[in-house]
Amino acid sequence: MSNEKKFVEAITPRDVDFAQWYTDIVKKADLVDYSSVRGCMIIRPYGYAIWELIQKHLDKRFKETGHENVYMPLFIPESLLQKEKEHVEGFAPEVAWVTHGGNEKLTERLCVRPTSETLFCEHYANIIHSYRDLPKLYNQWCSVVRWEKTTRPFLRTLEFLWQEGHTAHATAEEAMEETIRMLNIYAEFCENILAIPVIKGRKTEKEKFAGAEATFTIESLMHDGKALQTGTSHNFGDKFARVFNIRYTDKNNELKYVYQTSWGMTTRLIGAIIMVHGDDDGLVLPPEVAPVQVMVIPVQQHKEGVLEKAREITERISRVARVKIDDSDKMPGWKFSEYEMKGVPLRLELGPKDIENNRCVLVRRDTREKIFVSLDNLGDTIPEILNRIQKDMLVRATQERNKKTYTAKTMDEFDEIITKTPGFIKAMWCGDEACENAVKERTSATARCIPFEQEHISDTCVCCGRPAKHMVIWGKAY
Amino acid sequence: MSNEKKFVEAITPRDVDFAQWYTDIVKKADLVDYSSVRGCMIIRPYGYAIWELIQKHLDKRFKETGHENVYMPLFIPESLLQKEKEHVEGFAPEVAWVTHGGNEKLTERLCVRPTSETLFCEHYANIIHSYRDLPKLYNQWCSVVRWEKTTRPFLRTLEFLWQEGHTAHATAEEAMEETIRMLNIYAEFCENILAIPVIKGRKTEKEKFAGAEATFTIESLMHDGKALQTGTSHNFGDKFARVFNIRYTDKNNELKYVYQTSWGMTTRLIGAIIMVHGDDDGLVLPPEVAPVQVMVIPVQQHKEGVLEKAREITERISRVARVKIDDSDKMPGWKFSEYEMKGVPLRLELGPKDIENNRCVLVRRDTREKIFVSLDNLGDTIPEILNRIQKDMLVRATQERNKKTYTAKTMDEFDEIITKTPGFIKAMWCGDEACENAVKERTSATARCIPFEQEHISDTCVCCGRPAKHMVIWGKAY
């Protein structure tokens, strides 16, 4: 392999400068390009193909659970945004304002949607009348805008792509069930499709979504020990319904308010894939979201029969996997490096000797394991190996995450971990926001969530020493 | 049937008030709702499901011809929009301007993209270096904003959904080939998927896209005799490349400008489906874009065995078609009317007598033909009938279009047609913009296109009497 390496321009090693390593991958794997619009990214074909696969997997899960897609306007009138007090306080400081249409000044400013709760509420007030109209299980795929000061591709951009689910229910119980159902779908998707283990839990009051009654989250850990909020699911109770007057007549002909939820996942998932699975040679993609799962590379392709055979094999594999052949005139070593950088899960090498022996060489991107396979069995072997890669990646990511999950009983222990070996820190909390603030000020770690799976680390709050209420997962976050 | 009709609130008859009929369908078939944002529409689940099917069919065709999806920023800095003079003159009067981000006034205004040529050009200038980088065949699915004064759902809205293809090529010939290739794909899609016949042709200089060297179009005719521009494909030559300095080194190491195209289709296609196929009972959907192709309606569903059998059949049909069952407690007549309004291509009625005879009744939405079918053959019969409906709808729409296509040799003939029996008018043109303007002023009809298939209507221009250069298709347009 060392000989091949000369063909590729090296990226910054991951453990030397994690941020630069990330930026290098994002550019060199052709995921993103910058534009002249500050903080907005161009998602290039390879990056967008990953997003399309993420969409496909999520959309299937949404539809299987009865959700329907809709499309809401891009703009929200200022007065509509301001209807729910906490919500507007959370979002107004970071929205983009449209003040002119054509050559005219608008009588009311419009904001470019940062999220669409207010639009969905207005619509629901129009279309929900009777218990027969419930539940409403809507989702929207779109882009939203939040005026961030500092940005990084996929992780924090002025504009990003996402899906936002917005549902309305007859009872508080149903809304709660939906909130948790979608959190579970997110968690299952992250683990089975992205091979990223997550911790499910509730956000503290301080960290919850602007206007929500409760926010639930899945938190994952990146290779550098920082946490990433990977998806959130909010329960609004009847709070927005009261503000927007969304009511229905129940079976007894009584007027009742609906109960609502919202939940979202974004293109930042692509950032998570990079930071959980990537290595010093570039991206490593889980097969489920790899635009190309197998890259066929003919070796000594000028020799008689090699290209023909390679193309025939590619055609055969295309029935069981997303496959491409690179029969360009670049050197094989250069091709190896390029598809390593792009994180293609399996490389298939085929040269004259292989053909003689009716076999080929498969090389796993994740482990670099070389596997010799008979050409007769490719239709069975390749899906099996892709499946194994998918599972192994989750196992390794889980081990890695567990290795970087610590417990702290005192703030001294907490301090030491966060400075020396950053990761998730499990520590008890009294439930007082003052302690949450104190921990943040001292360590810059925040309460990532109060996990559903509680453990008893100690009896007292890590910060103030008073009796503990919850175990909290703390960490520095993206 | 007359007895059933009482269950549905009637819509305005099509020939009484076409505009109101259109609005009625859009609302009553649950395609769209209005929002508090002027001129922006909410696309409801049923309308959005049609759009998803349109996307699926188009996206497949794009990918089969080598195109890749990308995502560009929503915003364009004012200075970037202004780079190409004709382009900015065409679009500046109708863009929305963002002037504030959060609480700060921006140093440069950003417009919300009305179309993304300038962004693609900037990106292409960054990523195209060598002939090996060509062609670039990109497409984007997104929403765009144009500040229209008067709006109508799907046909003309402030914001609409579309796809915009943007390609870059090494030679003028390749760009021209691409322009025509995509026009042909659009035409084939309209005819085979939407069952809407189109006329392919070139736009006049006056009607072409702002900044294009040539614009090609497919034009279709609505039931009221007005034309709808259904899709356009533009050839830019090297005009934008020269402004944005998009160059590559060719095989001889010489620096050359690239040649570009762009092409787009929008949610207005849904408007076209309504206005070509709809009738006094509502929407009529071509099976290819019908979210529900078969609606199963149990009759006397309280009787033993009816619901069970209906559900079993639904399950069986789901393997060959998009099927749903309505087993709610509404009256069958009410259900019949509802799914007629929604344009479901096939209704399947099943009652106790049918079950006794091992058959069911299929009713075609387009012709109201009743077909008795053995329950044993449903797996074969239903796809056959859906296929027949799809084909018949195109045949009828073509006959209708041809019936409303006239020829005029003089302006008197032209006048008479346009006032009495509006439709497409084939008439000769000298090529002078003065005549084009004069026709428009006198009749409010515009040159829809110079069709590829030319006919010789007369020797002289319909307007000025000088020698004719082209046959033009004229019409009043949406």
Side-chain angles (χ1 to χ4, degrees):
Chain A
M1 289 287 281
S2 61
N3 218 7
E4 293 152 7
K5 280 304 150 64
K6 69 181 174 198
F7 295 104
V8 81
E9 213 183 316
I11 57 173
T12 309
R14 185 173 56 171
D15 292 333
V16 169
D17 182 344
F18 193 76
Q20 188 57 48
W21 167 83
Y22 178 84
T23 309
D24 284 354
I25 288 189
V26 150
K27 280 286 289 180
K28 297 221 169 127
D30 290 342
L31 299 177
V32 150
D33 196 18
Y34 298 96
S35 77
S36 64
V37 196
R38 183 187 75 80
C40 290
M41 60 181 167
I42 292 166
I43 308 183
R44 302 191 62 185
Y46 197 62
Y48 198 80
I50 297 173
W51 180 240
E52 284 182 315
L53 287 163
I54 289 174
Q55 286 189 300
K56 190 192 83 177
H57 287 291
L58 281 174
D59 202 66
K60 180 168 166 275
R61 284 163 171 75
F62 298 161
K63 284 179 176 152
E64 280 169 358
T65 45
H67 299 85
E68 301 177 294
N69 286 334
V70 299
Y71 189 77
M72 289 283 160
L74 173 65
F75 300 124
I76 306 174
E78 186 162 16
S79 57
L80 186 66
L81 185 71
Q82 284 176 337
K83 270 197 151 180
E84 211 289 320
K85 198 176 140 284
E86 286 176 30
H87 188 66
V88 69
E89 279 171 8
F91 283 103
E94 56 177 43
V95 297
W97 292 105
V98 173
T99 56
H100 290 73
N103 300 317
E104 278 169 36
K105 190 168 191 290
L106 305 185
T107 52
E108 180 182 12
R109 298 198 298 178
L110 301 173
C111 84
V112 182
R113 66 178 160 225
T115 180
S116 305
E117 273 74 11
T118 52
L119 291 166
F120 275 90
C121 282
E122 187 188 42
H123 181 47
Y124 281 152
N126 272 338
I127 63 167
I128 294 172
H129 309 290
S130 140
Y131 67 92
R132 285 194 195 86
D133 299 324
L134 294 172
K136 284 276 178 251
L137 307 173
Y138 286 177
N139 177 63
Q140 145 162 293
W141 291 97
C142 65
S143 85
V144 287
V145 170
R146 297 180 187 173
W147 213 259
E148 306 278 0
K149 300 256 186 242
T150 49
T151 60
R152 297 187 64 192
F154 297 122
L155 298 178
R156 194 168 297 277
T157 44
L158 244 72
E159 182 195 11
F160 57 87
L161 301 181
W162 79 344
Q163 59 67 218
E164 46 179 326
H166 295 269
T167 68
H169 306 265
T171 66
E173 293 69 36
E174 280 178 48
M176 190 56 169
E177 267 170 37
E178 168 80 2
T179 312
I180 300 301
R181 179 183 305 119
M182 299 323 288
L183 192 78
N184 285 334
I185 284 179
Y186 283 169
E188 180 271 325
F189 163 81
C190 280
E191 302 196 337
N192 291 335
I193 305 300
L194 307 185
I196 295 177
V198 297
I199 291 173
K200 292 187 267 190
R202 189 163 57 79
K203 285 281 181 193
T204 61
E205 287 301 297
K206 177 185 164 71
E207 298 286 335
K208 77 180 186 188
F209 182 79
E213 204 167 72
T215 287
F216 299 90
T217 181
I218 48 173
E219 298 283 328
S220 53
L221 194 68
M222 305 299 103
H223 179 80
D224 64 346
K226 279 167 91 172
L228 189 82
Q229 175 180 303
T230 313
T232 47
S233 186
H234 315 291
N235 187 345
F236 292 108
D238 60 0
K239 215 165 152 191
F240 275 78
R242 287 177 184 274
V243 174
F244 286 85
N245 200 29
I246 315 173
R247 293 194 290 181
Y248 69 99
T249 39
D250 71 4
K251 287 186 182 171
N252 306 319
N253 222 22
E254 276 176 49
L255 261 183
K256 295 251 171 91
Y257 287 107
V258 303
Y259 294 81
Q260 290 171 273
T261 83
S262 82
W263 26 275
M265 271 193 162
T266 78
T267 30
R268 95 184 318 210
L269 291 172
I270 299 175
I273 295 170
I274 299 170
M275 293 194 293
V276 168
H277 301 300
D279 63 22
D280 284 352
D281 293 320
L283 194 58
V284 181
L285 288 174
E288 289 281 11
V289 291
V292 181
Q293 296 173 311
V294 185
M295 182 58 76
V296 175
I297 299 181
V299 178
Q300 297 185 274
Q301 64 183 34
H302 58 279
K303 292 221 171 147
E304 210 194 313
V306 173
L307 266 182
E308 290 71 10
K309 194 73 187 172
R311 286 182 188 141
E312 181 212 312
I313 285 174
T314 305
E315 166 60 29
R316 255 201 287 148
I317 297 174
S318 72
R319 286 168 227 157
V320 296
R322 294 185 287 276
V323 62
K324 270 197 176 172
I325 181 171
D326 186 344
D327 52 10
S328 68
D329 55 9
K330 294 172 195 161
M331 308 275 287
W334 198 96
K335 294 178 188 174
F336 293 174
S337 300
E338 180 174 2
Y339 302 115
E340 281 171 11
M341 179 60 67
K342 290 195 156 177
V344 175
L346 264 186
R347 172 171 89 224
L348 188 154
E349 302 170 18
L350 184 84
K353 251 197 186 152
D354 300 310
I355 297 173
E356 231 169 73
N357 294 310
N358 192 41
R359 63 152 204 219
C360 65
V361 186
L362 293 173
V363 185
R364 282 175 64 158
R365 172 65 181 89
D366 63 329
T367 56
R368 314 204 168 250
E369 187 191 348
K370 284 197 176 201
I371 310 160
F372 292 85
V373 176
S374 156
L375 294 184
D376 301 331
N377 301 337
L378 283 175
D380 293 331
T381 322
I382 284 185
E384 270 168 37
I385 298 178
L386 289 172
N387 200 17
R388 212 184 307 148
I389 295 175
Q390 182 78 31
K391 294 208 166 105
D392 288 353
M393 284 180 73
L394 176 61
V395 169
R396 275 197 313 275
T398 308
Q399 287 166 346
E400 171 91 352
R401 195 262 323 260
N402 292 348
K403 222 172 63 191
K404 289 180 179 157
T405 302
Y406 310 91
T407 57
K409 292 182 185 167
T410 66
M411 279 314 292
D412 286 344
E413 282 179 26
F414 199 116
D415 275 338
E416 194 178 333
I417 296 164
I418 212 84
T419 13
K420 288 197 185 149
T421 54
F424 279 147
I425 302 179
K426 297 177 182 173
M428 304 309 285
W429 178 49
C430 61
D432 190 337
E433 201 166 307
C435 285
E436 200 181 348
N437 290 332
V439 170
K440 186 175 179 184
E441 201 160 310
R442 179 164 168 173
T443 66
S444 82
T446 50
R448 302 315 308 147
C449 70
I450 304 166
F452 292 159
E453 284 187 27
Q454 285 283 306
E455 291 169 48
H456 183 81
I457 309 294
S458 68
D459 294 328
T460 54
C461 175
V462 70
C463 182
C464 67
R466 282 177 295 175
K469 270 196 188 145
H470 314 281
M471 179 192 81
V472 165
I473 295 267
W474 310 80
K476 291 192 189 180
Y478 276 97
Chain B
M1 289 286 284
S2 61
N3 218 8
E4 295 152 5
K5 280 305 149 66
K6 69 184 174 197
F7 294 101
V8 82
E9 213 182 315
I11 56 173
T12 309
R14 187 174 54 172
D15 293 333
V16 169
D17 182 343
F18 193 76
Q20 189 58 49
W21 166 84
Y22 178 84
T23 309
D24 285 355
I25 288 189
V26 151
K27 280 287 290 179
K28 297 219 170 126
D30 290 342
L31 300 177
V32 151
D33 196 18
Y34 298 96
S35 78
S36 64
V37 196
R38 182 187 77 80
C40 290
M41 59 180 169
I42 293 166
I43 308 183
R44 301 190 63 184
Y46 196 62
Y48 199 80
I50 298 173
W51 180 240
E52 285 182 314
L53 287 163
I54 289 174
Q55 286 188 300
K56 191 193 80 175
H57 287 291
L58 280 176
D59 202 66
K60 183 169 163 276
R61 285 162 171 76
F62 298 161
K63 284 180 176 151
E64 281 169 357
T65 45
H67 299 85
E68 301 178 291
N69 286 334
V70 298
Y71 188 76
M72 289 284 158
L74 173 64
F75 300 124
I76 306 174
E78 188 163 16
S79 56
L80 187 65
L81 185 70
Q82 284 176 338
K83 271 196 151 182
E84 210 292 318
K85 200 177 139 283
E86 286 176 31
H87 188 66
V88 68
E89 279 172 7
F91 283 104
E94 56 177 42
V95 296
W97 291 105
V98 172
T99 57
H100 291 72
N103 300 319
E104 278 169 37
K105 190 167 191 291
L106 305 185
T107 51
E108 180 181 12
R109 299 199 296 178
L110 301 174
C111 85
V112 183
R113 65 176 162 228
T115 181
S116 306
E117 273 74 11
T118 51
L119 291 166
F120 276 89
C121 282
E122 187 188 42
H123 182 48
Y124 281 152
N126 273 337
I127 62 167
I128 294 173
H129 308 291
S130 139
Y131 67 93
R132 287 195 193 85
D133 299 324
L134 294 173
K136 284 277 178 250
L137 307 173
Y138 286 177
N139 176 63
Q140 147 164 291
W141 291 95
C142 65
S143 85
V144 287
V145 169
R146 297 181 188 173
W147 214 260
E148 305 279 359
K149 300 257 185 243
T150 50
T151 60
R152 299 187 65 193
F154 296 122
L155 297 178
R156 195 169 295 277
T157 44
L158 243 70
E159 183 196 11
F160 57 88
L161 302 180
W162 80 344
Q163 59 67 217
E164 46 179 324
H166 295 268
T167 67
H169 307 264
T171 66
E173 294 68 38
E174 280 178 48
M176 191 55 170
E177 267 170 38
E178 169 80 2
T179 313
I180 301 303
R181 179 183 305 120
M182 299 322 290
L183 191 78
N184 285 333
I185 284 179
Y186 282 169
E188 181 272 326
F189 163 82
C190 280
E191 303 196 337
N192 291 336
I193 304 300
L194 308 184
I196 296 177
V198 297
I199 291 173
K200 294 187 268 188
R202 190 162 57 83
K203 286 280 183 195
T204 61
E205 287 301 296
K206 178 185 163 74
E207 298 286 334
K208 75 179 188 190
F209 182 80
E213 204 167 73
T215 287
F216 299 89
T217 180
I218 48 174
E219 299 284 327
S220 53
L221 195 69
M222 305 297 103
H223 179 81
D224 64 346
K226 278 167 92 173
L228 190 81
Q229 174 181 303
T230 312
T232 46
S233 186
H234 316 292
N235 187 346
F236 292 109
D238 59 1
K239 216 166 151 191
F240 276 78
R242 286 177 183 273
V243 174
F244 286 86
N245 199 28
I246 316 174
R247 293 193 289 180
Y248 70 98
T249 38
D250 71 4
K251 287 187 182 170
N252 307 318
N253 224 22
E254 275 175 49
L255 262 183
K256 296 250 170 93
Y257 287 109
V258 302
Y259 294 80
Q260 289 171 276
T261 83
S262 84
W263 28 274
M265 272 192 159
T266 79
T267 30
R268 95 183 320 206
L269 291 172
I270 298 175
I273 295 170
I274 299 169
M275 294 194 292
V276 168
H277 301 300
D279 63 23
D280 284 353
D281 293 320
L283 193 58
V284 181
L285 288 175
E288 290 282 11
V289 291
V292 182
Q293 295 174 312
V294 185
M295 183 58 78
V296 175
I297 300 180
V299 178
Q300 298 186 276
Q301 65 181 37
H302 58 280
K303 294 223 169 142
E304 209 193 315
V306 173
L307 264 183
E308 289 71 8
K309 193 73 187 169
R311 286 182 188 141
E312 181 211 311
I313 285 175
T314 306
E315 165 61 29
R316 252 201 288 148
I317 296 174
S318 71
R319 285 168 229 156
V320 296
R322 292 184 289 274
V323 62
K324 271 197 175 171
I325 181 170
D326 186 344
D327 52 9
S328 69
D329 55 8
K330 295 171 194 161
M331 308 275 287
W334 197 96
K335 295 178 189 174
F336 294 173
S337 301
E338 180 175 1
Y339 302 115
E340 281 171 10
M341 180 60 69
K342 290 195 159 180
V344 175
L346 263 185
R347 171 170 91 225
L348 188 154
E349 301 171 18
L350 184 83
K353 251 198 185 152
D354 299 309
I355 295 172
E356 232 170 71
N357 295 310
N358 191 42
R359 62 150 205 220
C360 66
V361 187
L362 294 173
V363 185
R364 281 175 63 157
R365 171 64 182 91
D366 63 329
T367 56
R368 312 198 171 257
E369 184 190 349
K370 285 197 176 202
I371 310 160
F372 292 87
V373 175
S374 156
L375 295 184
D376 302 330
N377 302 337
L378 283 175
D380 293 330
T381 323
I382 284 185
E384 270 167 37
I385 298 177
L386 289 173
N387 200 16
R388 212 184 308 149
I389 294 174
Q390 182 77 32
K391 293 209 166 104
D392 288 354
M393 285 179 73
L394 176 61
V395 169
R396 277 197 312 277
T398 308
Q399 286 165 347
E400 171 91 352
R401 196 263 322 261
N402 293 347
K403 221 171 64 192
K404 288 180 179 156
T405 302
Y406 311 91
T407 57
K409 292 182 185 167
T410 66
M411 280 314 293
D412 285 345
E413 283 177 28
F414 199 116
D415 275 339
E416 194 177 334
I417 296 163
I418 212 83
T419 13
K420 290 198 184 148
T421 55
F424 279 146
I425 302 180
K426 296 177 183 172
M428 304 309 284
W429 179 47
C430 60
D432 190 339
E433 201 166 307
C435 285
E436 199 180 350
N437 290 331
V439 170
K440 186 175 179 185
E441 201 160 309
R442 178 164 170 174
T443 66
S444 82
T446 50
R448 301 316 307 146
C449 70
I450 304 166
F452 292 159
E453 285 187 27
Q454 286 282 307
E455 291 168 48
H456 183 83
I457 309 295
S458 68
D459 294 328
T460 56
C461 175
V462 70
C463 182
C464 68
R466 282 177 294 175
K469 271 199 188 140
H470 314 282
M471 179 192 82
V472 164
I473 296 267
W474 310 80
K476 291 192 190 180
Y478 277 96

